[in-house]
C-alpha cells in the first residue's frame, strides 16, 4: 500500500537490486545520476568484438560492490495510479516552474478557441526527374563527410602505428557501402564474406578482407591531439564523433518540415563500457546510448541530440530538464505558423505547453497527474463506474489549455493547447468479458494524439529493419553506424515524399534503396587498342606479366585471365590447358 513503509538491511537491498559481480539486475532501471558518472559502468554481458583492432578506446573501470557505503532509496508505485508509469529516466518529480498560476474550470474559456490551422509553406517542387538513391543519401551524409573521415583516419593511423593508411574519400565510401550491403546479406561474422566456403563476391571483390580490417582499425572522425579531459574547459564527451554528428544534424535541419512533429527517445544499441550508456526497460533495445529526437509523422528525422549524462541539458528556462530538451529540439521549427508537436508525459508540464503556445507551436501530450498544478479530476474508480469511454475535461481559464481524462481499459490523461474532447467519435474496442467488439466514445484529443504521436517510433522501426550491426567496443563507431542508418532512412523517406508530390504511387522499397546506395560505382571504361598484326607477330619483347585486374581473354573470348602481354597490353590465357598467349603471337 502507498502509506506503508518498510526498512531494509543493506544485505537485503543488495539481494534485491544486484546480481553477481555487482551488475544491476535487468529488471531494475538506472538513474540518470548514476549514468552521468563516467566511472559507473555496468553491463549485463560481455560484448566481444569480431575485430582485433577494437582496443582504441580507453575503457572505464567497472564499479564494484561497496556494501558499507551503499546508499539506496526505494520507491513504491501506487497500484491505483490513473496514468501509465513514466519512463525509467524521469529527471525530476516536476519541473522548477516559472511563475504561472493556473485556474482550472469545466467551462471552456475564450482563450481555448484559437485558429490552429496550419499556416506554414507547402513543400518545394520536387526535381523533374527523380534522382538516384545515392543522391538522396548524399543530402544527409555528403561527400564532405567522407573526405573528413578519410583525412582524420590517415592522421590517426600515423599517430597510432607510424605507418600511412593512404585511404581516400572514394575508398571510405566503398568501406561504408560494404557495411550497408552487409545489412542486406547477413552472416554471423563479417569475415565470412571473404572465406572460401561462404564467400560473397559483391563484397569480396570490392575490397580485400585485410584492407577492410585495416580501415576498420583506424577509422576516425576527429583529431585526438585536440581532445579535452573531463574537468577541463571545453570538454566534450562526444568529441570523437562531433564533426560528423553536427554535419549530419545540419543536413537534417535543411529538410522542409512537416506540420506534425513527434519528440521522443531513441536508443543506439550498445552494451560496451561507457559512462553515457543507459538502460530503458520499455525500449526494444534496452541498453545503449540515448538520443532525444524530433521526427515528422512520416518518420523523417529533423533534429536530434545525443544524451551524454548529467549536464547534457541544464534547466535555464525554469521548465525542468525535460522541458529544456523540448525547447532545444523545436528551436529550428518556424514560429507562429501552428506547427504541431506531440510528446509523452516524461516531457510534459502545463508551463511547457504555455511556452510553446506563445511561440506559435501547438501541442498534444500525455501528462502526469502530479504535473497538473492544482487541477483536480475524477478518480479512476469514478470513471470506471461510468463505463468505458467516460471522460472529464478541465480548462485553464487564462491560457486555454485543455486537460482530458479518458477511461478506456485504464485512465489516460492528456493535455493540449489547441484541441479538446469535441467532437467525440466512437472507436472499436475488444470487450474481454463478453468476448466481442464494442463501440466506445473517444474524445477528439485522443484520436489526434494516436494519429500523430508515432513519428520517432516509425523512424526507429525503419532503422531496425536493416541496422548496421557489426560488433565493436568503440562507442563512436556505434554512433557513426546510427548516423549512416539515419541518413539512409531519411533519404528513402524524402524520395517517397517527392514521388507523392508527383502523384506516383509505386516506389522503391527500403531494401532496394539501401542496395542501390551500397552498390559501388562502375569503373571507368578503358578502351584498349589492339596492336597491329606486324607488331603482334614480330616475336620481339612479348613477355607475360601479371595484370592489375582479371578480365576476358583477347583471343578466346570465353576465358578469364589476369595474364597480359607486356608489349601488346592485352589479356591472354596462359594455363596448362589453354595457351592463348602463344597462339596470339604466332597465328594470324
Amino acid at each position: 500500500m502507498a502509506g506503508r513503509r518498510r526498512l531494509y538491511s543493506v544485505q537485503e537491498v543488495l539481494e534485491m537490486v544486484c546480481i553477481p559481480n555487482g551488475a544491476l539486475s535487468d529488471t531494475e532501471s538506472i538513474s540518470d545520476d548514476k549514468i552521468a558518472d563516467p566511472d559507473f559502468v555496468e553491463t549485463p554481458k560481455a560484448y566481444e568484438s569480431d575485430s582485433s583492432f577494437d582496443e582504441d578506446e580507453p575503457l572505464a573501470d567497472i564499479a564494484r560492490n561497496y556494501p558499507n557505503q551503499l546508499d539506496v532509496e526505494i520507491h513504491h508505485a501506487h497500484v491505483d495510479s490513473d496514468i501509465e508509469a513514466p519512463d525509467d529516466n524521469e529527471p525530476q518529480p516536476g519541473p522548477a516552474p516559472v511563475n504561472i498560476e493556473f485556474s482550472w474550470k469545466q467551462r471552456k474559456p475564450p482563450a481555448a478557441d484559437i485558429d490552429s490551422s496550419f499556416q506554414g509553406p507547402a513543400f518545394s517542387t520536387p526535381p523533374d526527374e527523380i534522382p538516384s538513391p545515392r543522391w538522396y543519401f548524399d543530402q544527409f551524409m555528403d561527400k564532405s563527410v567522407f573526405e573528413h573521415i578519410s583525412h582524420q583516419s590517415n592522421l590517426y593511423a600515423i599517430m597510432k602505428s607510424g605507418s600511412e593508411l593512404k585511404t581516400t574519400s572514394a575508398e571510405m565510401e566503398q568501406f561504408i557501402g560494404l557495411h550497408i550491403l552487409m545489412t542486406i546479406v547477413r552472416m554471423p561474422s563479417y569475415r565470412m564474406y571473404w572465406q572460401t566456403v561462404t564467400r560473397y563476391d559483391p563484397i569480396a571483390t570490392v575490397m580485400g578482407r585485410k584492407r577492410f580490417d585495416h580501415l576498420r582499425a583506424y577509422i576516425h572522425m576527429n583529431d585526438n591531439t585536440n581532445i579535452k579531459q573531463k574537468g577541463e574547459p571545453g570538454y566534450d564527451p562526444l568529441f570523437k564523433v562531433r564533426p560528423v554528428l553536427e554535419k549530419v544534424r545540419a543536413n537534417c535541419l535543411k529538410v522542409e518540415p512537416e506540420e506534425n512533429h513527434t519528440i521522443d527517445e531513441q536508443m543506439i544499441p550498445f552494451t560496451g563500457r561507457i559512462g553515457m550508456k543507459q538502460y530503458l526497460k520499455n525500449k526494444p533495445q534496452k541498453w545503449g546510448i540515448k538520443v532525444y529526437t524530433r521526427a515528422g509523422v512520416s518518420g523523417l528525422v529533423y533534429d536530434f541530440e545525443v544524451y551524454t549524462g548529467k549536464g547534457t541539458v541544464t534547466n535555464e528556462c525554469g521548465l525542468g530538464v525535460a522541458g529544456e530538451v523540448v525547447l532545444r529540439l523545436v528551436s529550428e521549427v518556424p514560429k507562429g505558423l501552428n506547427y504541431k508537436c506531440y510528446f509523452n508525459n516524461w516531457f510534459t508540464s502545463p508551463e511547457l505547453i504555455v511556452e510553446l503556445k506563445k511561440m506559435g507551436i501547438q501541442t498534444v501530450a500525455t501528462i502526469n497527474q502530479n504535473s497538473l498544478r492544482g487541477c483536480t479530476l475524477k478518480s479512476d474508480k469514478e470513471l470506471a463506474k461510468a463505463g468505458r469511454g467516460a471522460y472529464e475535461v478541465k480548462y485553464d481559464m487564462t491560457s486555454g489549455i485543455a486537460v482530458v481524462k479518458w477511461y478506456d481499459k485504464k485512465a489516460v490523461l492528456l493535455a493540449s493547447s489547441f484541441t479538446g474532447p469535441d467532437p467525440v467519435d466512437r472507436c472499436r474496442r475488444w470487450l474481454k468479458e463478453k468476448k466481442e467488439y464494442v463501440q466506445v466514445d473517444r474524445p477528439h484529443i485522443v484520436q489526434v494524439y494516436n494519429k500523430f504521436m508515432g513519428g520517432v517510433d516509425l523512424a526507429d522501426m525503419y532503422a531496425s529493419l536493416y541496422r548496421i550491426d557489426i560488433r565493436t567496443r568503440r562507442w563512436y563507431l556505434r554512433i557513426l553506424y546510427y548516423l549512416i542508418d539515419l541518413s539512409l532512412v531519411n533519404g528513402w523517406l524524402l524520395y517517397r515524399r517527392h514521388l507523392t508530390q508527383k502523384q506516383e504511387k509505386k516506389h522503391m522499397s527500403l531494401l532496394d534503396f539501401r542496395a542501390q546506395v551500397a552498390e559501388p560505382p562502375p569503373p571507368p571504361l578503358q578502351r584498349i587498342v589492339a596492336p597491329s598484326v606486324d607488331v603482334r607477330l614480330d616475336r620481339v619483347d612479348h613477355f607475360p606479366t601479371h595484370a592489375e585486374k582479371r578480365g576476358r581473354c583477347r583471343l578466346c573470348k570465353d576465358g578469364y585471365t589476369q595474364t597480359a602481354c607486356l608489349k601488346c597490353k592485352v589479356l591472354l590465357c596462359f594455363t596448362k590447358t589453354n595457351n592463348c598467349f602463344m597462339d596470339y603471337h604466332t597465328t594470324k
Side-chain angles (χ1 to χ4, degrees), residues 259-264 293-295 297 326 330 339-344 347-348 356 361-366 414-416 418-419 445 447-456:
E259 176 185 356
N260 298 287
H261 295 255
T262 300
I263 292 177
D264 207 346
T293 304
R294 173 171 61 87
V297 68
V326 174
V330 301
Y339 282 90
K340 313 297 190 304
C341 195
Y342 307 84
F343 40 86
N344 61 35
F347 300 95
T348 314
L356 291 173
I361 299 175
Q362 308 304 329
T363 305
V364 176
T366 56
L414 299 104
S416 175
F418 74 96
T419 188
I445 189 174
Q447 179 189 10
V448 171
Y449 182 82
N450 288 341
K451 183 177 181 180
F452 297 113
M453 176 56 193
V456 175

Side-chain angles (χ1 to χ4, degrees), residues 224-271:
N224 281 356
T225 58
N226 298 325
I227 195 169
K228 303 288 185 181
Q229 299 302 318
K230 188 175 182 181
E232 295 181 2
Y235 167 71
D236 182 8
L238 297 173
F239 174 84
K240 286 180 176 290
V241 74
R242 178 65 69 184
V244 176
L245 189 74
E246 290 302 323
K247 182 63 176 179
V248 174
R249 177 176 176 266
N251 287 336
C252 290
L253 289 171
K254 293 177 183 178
V255 182
E256 296 169 316
E258 308 164 42
E259 176 185 356
N260 298 287
H261 295 255
T262 300
I263 292 177
D264 207 346
E265 298 162 329
Q266 288 182 299
M267 290 290 284
I268 302 175
F270 185 69
T271 56

Side-chain angles (χ1 to χ4, degrees), residues 52 97 170 176 198 280 297 345 358 453 468 496 541 547 576:
S52 59
I176 296 301
T198 56
L280 300 180
V297 68
N345 53 10
K358 291 178 181 177
M453 176 56 193
I468 297 176
R496 289 185 59 181
D541 294 335
K576 183 178 180 180

Side-chain angles (χ1 to χ4, degrees), residues 519-572:
E519 184 178 3
L525 295 175
Q526 296 181 354
R527 184 176 180 85
I528 300 177
V529 180
S532 63
V533 176
D534 293 338
V535 172
R536 178 163 62 91
L537 302 176
D538 63 7
R539 301 191 181 188
V540 177
D541 294 335
H542 294 285
F543 300 108
T545 185
H546 194 71
E548 291 184 2
K549 292 185 178 180
R550 190 167 178 263
R552 284 186 182 275
C553 175
R554 182 75 182 186
L555 186 62
C556 67
K557 307 297 183 182
D558 295 327
Y560 282 85
T561 180
Q562 206 162 353
T563 301
C565 175
L566 185 63
K567 183 177 180 180
C568 300
K569 307 296 184 184
V570 294
L571 295 173
L572 296 163

Side-chain angles (χ1 to χ4, degrees), residues 52-84:
S52 59
F53 300 104
D54 290 336
E55 305 300 331
D56 166 58
E57 177 194 3
L59 305 178
D61 295 329
I62 300 178
R64 300 300 181 186
N65 290 330
Y66 293 92
N68 296 329
Q69 302 176 20
L70 188 63
D71 183 12
V72 177
E73 183 179 359
I74 300 177
H75 299 271
H76 293 281
H78 198 293
V79 294
D80 294 328
S81 174
D82 60 350
I83 55 174
E84 293 186 7

